[in-house]
Amino acid sequence: AQTVTQSQPEMSVQEAETVTLSCTYDTSESDYYLFWYKQPPSRQMILVIRQEAYKQQNATENRFSVNFQKAAKSFSLKISDSQLGDAAMYFCAYGDYKLSFGAGTTVTVRA
Amino acid sequence: NAGVTQTPKFQVLKTGQSMTLQCAQDMNHNSMYWYRQDPGMGLRLIYYSASEGTTDKGEVPNGYNVSRLNKREFSLRLESAAPSQTSVYFCASTPKNYYEQYFGPGTRLTVT
């Protein structure tokens, strides 16, 4: 059963602007990991960012940052200063040695 | 260091035919996984192997079998392909005690 929900099938952003992708998950575990993966048209799955649930500090990787709300089981991804190369499908995933993936959000970047 | 490799990249089968998808990793990872990706459904786990010599079912194992041939290789077999198995298949691996998954380039399989 799908335990990860990405409520936005598609998002569009102007180049250089900011876009936020939402993700919620369902778990009774206290220790787990969260990931955002990017899938460009090449089909390759690329890790964007990871977050350990036991860490309160939100992860950041260059222009990508997350807002992790453990009590709300929410894990959103913010892409700042959007670039044309950010256009892709983005998947949220949760778990540990096994991951559950959301259905994905397609991000288009307008020049 | 090639990472995770998959063969073939594309395949077309007729209903009832069999085939094996190959996956290999050269990163000395312990765990390996097979997923299928269908439109609107994200990635769904078919089978996984937590370590050499072990395999376990994932969310959608019906119609598939796997073999963890050694630490490097993890194959997925379709014994009698069905149109419902038309999908993109990904292999992934993770090192021990670390949960980031490294993915292969995928295989697009069409069953007619």
Side-chain angles (χ1 to χ4, degrees), chain B residues 1 14 16-17 34 38-39 44 53 71 75 84 88 101-102:
Chain B
N1 190 338
K14 288 183 169 30
Q17 287 184 319
W34 276 107
D38 301 294
R44 293 181 293 167
K71 192 170 187 179
S75 62
S84 60
V88 178
Q101 294 194 8
Y102 295 75

Side-chain angles (χ1 to χ4, degrees), chain A residues 33-48:
Chain A
Y33 294 78
L34 294 152
F35 303 91
W36 279 98
Y37 280 88
K38 170 185 177 181
Q39 186 180 45
S42 67
R43 202 167 69 197
Q44 181 68 51
M45 294 286 286
I46 303 164
L47 179 69
V48 175

Side-chain angles (χ1 to χ4, degrees), chain B residues 4-21:
Chain B
V4 180
T5 57
Q6 291 182 235
T7 55
K9 286 190 168 47
F10 301 93
Q11 184 71 48
V12 179
L13 290 178
K14 288 183 169 30
T15 297
Q17 287 184 319
S18 62
M19 80 160 296
T20 300
L21 306 184

Side-chain angles (χ1 to χ4, degrees), chain A residues 9 12-13 19 27 43 48 62 70 90 93-94 100:
Chain A
S12 181
V13 60
V19 64
T27 183
R43 202 167 69 197
V48 175
N62 300 314
K70 190 172 184 180
Y90 288 80
Y94 133 86
S100 293

Side-chain angles (χ1 to χ4, degrees), chain A residues 1-2 33 35 37 39 42-45 47 50 89 91 95-104, chain B residues 9-10 33 35 37 40-43 45 48 59 88 90 98-101 103-108:
Chain A
Q2 191 73 279
Y33 294 78
F35 303 91
Y37 280 88
Q39 186 180 45
S42 67
R43 202 167 69 197
Q44 181 68 51
M45 294 286 286
L47 179 69
R50 61 175 275 163
M89 180 164 280
F91 291 98
D96 43 40
Y97 68 95
K98 285 196 301 180
L99 296 182
S100 293
F101 285 80
Chain B
K9 286 190 168 47
F10 301 93
Y33 308 81
Y35 293 91
Q37 181 181 15
M41 302 193 74
L43 277 72
L45 183 64
Y48 68 100
E59 184 184 349
V88 178
F90 285 97
Y98 189 66
Y99 303 112
E100 172 185 334
Q101 294 194 8
F103 284 84
T107 296
R108 180 175 292 279

